Amino acid sequence: MKLLFVSTPVGPLGSGLGGGVELSLYNIAREIIRRGHDLQIVAPAGSTWDDLPVMQISGNLQIIAQSLERQTPITMPCNPLLANMWDYVRQVENEYDLVVNFAYDWLPFYLTPFFKIPIAHFVSMGSLSDALDQIIVKISKQFPGTIGFYTPAQADTFPKLISPIYYLSSGIDLSLYQFCSQPKQQLAWLGRISPEKGLEDAFAVAESTNISLKVMGKIQDESYWQKIQQDYPNAPFEYLGFLSTKEMQQILGECKALIMTPRWVEAFGNVAIEALACGVPVISYSRGGPASIIKNNETGFLVKPDSVSGLIEATKRVEQINRQTCRDTAQKVFSLEVLGERFEKWFVDILNSRA
Ligand code: HBI
């Protein structure tokens, strides 16, 4: 197949501004090329992915959707990068079989019926805006089977869509993660340090169990980070900053468990499969993506949302989980090969239904 991937408009590829969807786009692109398909990626100017074919488009970045309210009107900056990317798609659509949209934005959905070429939409977050919900429902009705999500839990945050709905999950390059069978007396917490990630609850676990918490990730909200340390003065922790995958997985692998404390509906939660890849059980609130990833009592524990006592009780029995099972699950379900298989099937199904 000749495929055109259109990136998120919130930042150049390689900048990290695209968060989880940037990692997903990179992994899917690599796998699709490995499987012998022709691929071109359309992305913001300044993208630094030099190992993949990227058509760089200039223009002003789109505001991130998480910063808006549900009723915030759709806005476009002057010289909008998002629109410029889709102008390019219009110019070249005859050279491809399928376009895949990775942006969590209104415009690509609205434009879909104006194109001859079929367009697949990969939705990378839970429901955040009424206008986006409405246009996604409309396109799912007009073009059934062209909307894909990470997980059922994420899809459930949207109004009922027309089936078939595709759940693509995620995947990682397992060769980057080493299995560790003998952990130290420490716990891990990974992610952006920001209120929706609920880090304070992991501090409460560390303080109650007196097991040191290794915190890794970018500090996105400094005042929130300071407040946590003031509220839990006796919690044993070490902040290790934002590390490369190689360094991060070294620390993560030596932990008894990864603690996940999402306050919002996490669309997926790549950190959970990174932990499993290292043989580390995951203890998480039963909310969003992690609820679809963790097999309760097999690869970790799903806890009643926002129940700190539930996290503590689970931490105390985490030795019950077989660490090899965690690694095997990552191998079976979350490898790049399996990820590529799911996306390739989605694309073929769309082309077949159009034929
Ligand atoms: N906001 N407007 C907008 N568009 C996106 O594509 C987008 C976003 N915010 C976050 C984001 N994408 C990704 O970081 C998440 O989907 C993972």
Side-chain angles (χ1 to χ4, degrees), residues 7-10 17-22 62-66 102-105 124-125 150:
S7 166
T8 169
V10 294
L17 287 170
V21 81
E22 197 179 313
Q62 200 67 19
I63 301 170
I64 63 164
Q66 304 96 307
F102 286 84
Y104 189 92
D105 289 280
S124 63
M125 292 188 283
Y150 279 116

Side-chain angles (χ1 to χ4, degrees), residues 21-69:
V21 81
E22 197 179 313
L23 178 69
S24 296
L25 205 165
Y26 183 74
N27 284 336
I28 297 151
R30 275 179 49 204
E31 256 308 289
I32 284 295
I33 290 170
R34 193 184 66 79
R35 287 161 175 267
H37 300 289
D38 289 340
L39 174 67
Q40 168 78 37
I41 300 170
V42 184
S47 293
T48 58
W49 287 359
D50 50 13
D51 56 335
L52 290 174
V54 176
M55 174 69 201
Q56 314 238 359
I57 305 288
S58 61
N60 293 314
L61 298 176
Q62 200 67 19
I63 301 170
I64 63 164
Q66 304 96 307
S67 65
L68 308 175
E69 301 297 321

